[in-house]
């Protein structure tokens, strides 16, 4: 089955270029990942993007503090009743 059936020549050329571009980018990305993995740096490159990075830790700490404050308020309200 021809994936370009029913298309004009311009459309075929556009889709071929798009497909080639996507394939090249994917191949480059795979090569980069393979290289990082071989060097052992695949998880050391950007720790702030990982779920254990500093931004995640700050967010988690703020969430814990908010929950503790809400709990403290509920307990205070129960105590005052």
């Amino acid at each position: 089955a021809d994936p370009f059936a029913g298309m004009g020549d311009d459309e075929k050329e556009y889709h071929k270029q798009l497909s080639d571009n996507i394939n090249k980018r994917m191949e480059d990305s795979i090569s980069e990942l393979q290289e990082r993995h071989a060097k052992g740096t695949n998880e050391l490159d950007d720790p702030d993007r990982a779920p254990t990075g500093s931004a995640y830790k700050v967010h988690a700490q703020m969430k814990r503090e908010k929950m503790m404050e809400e709990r403290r308020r509920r307990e205070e309200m129960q105590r005052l009743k």
Side-chain angles (χ1 to χ4, degrees):
D2 182 11
F4 302 114
M7 291 185 187
D9 289 338
D10 290 341
E11 288 177 303
K12 287 180 185 181
E13 184 60 30
Y14 169 77
H15 282 283
K16 182 172 180 348
Q17 287 178 358
L18 179 64
S19 178
D20 290 345
N21 186 0
I22 291 170
N23 286 335
K24 182 185 181 312
R25 289 174 183 245
M26 288 177 56
E27 289 171 1
D28 291 347
S29 296
I30 289 171
S31 295
E32 181 182 339
L33 287 172
Q34 287 173 335
E35 183 179 317
R36 285 184 182 184
H37 184 72
K39 289 180 181 177
T41 60
N42 57 327
E43 295 192 22
L44 302 175
D45 290 338
D46 193 1
D48 285 338
R49 294 181 63 198
T52 56
S54 60
Y56 176 82
K57 289 177 182 175
V58 169
H59 175 72
Q61 179 64 30
M62 289 173 58
K63 192 173 178 180
R64 280 192 300 272
E65 289 173 0
K66 182 179 177 183
M67 290 174 63
M68 287 173 51
E69 179 63 23
E70 289 173 1
R71 182 175 161 199
R72 187 194 63 75
R73 285 183 184 166
R74 281 194 305 267
E75 289 173 354
E76 183 70 20
M77 293 298 288
Q78 290 294 329
R79 190 179 64 76
L80 294 175
K81 284 185 179 181

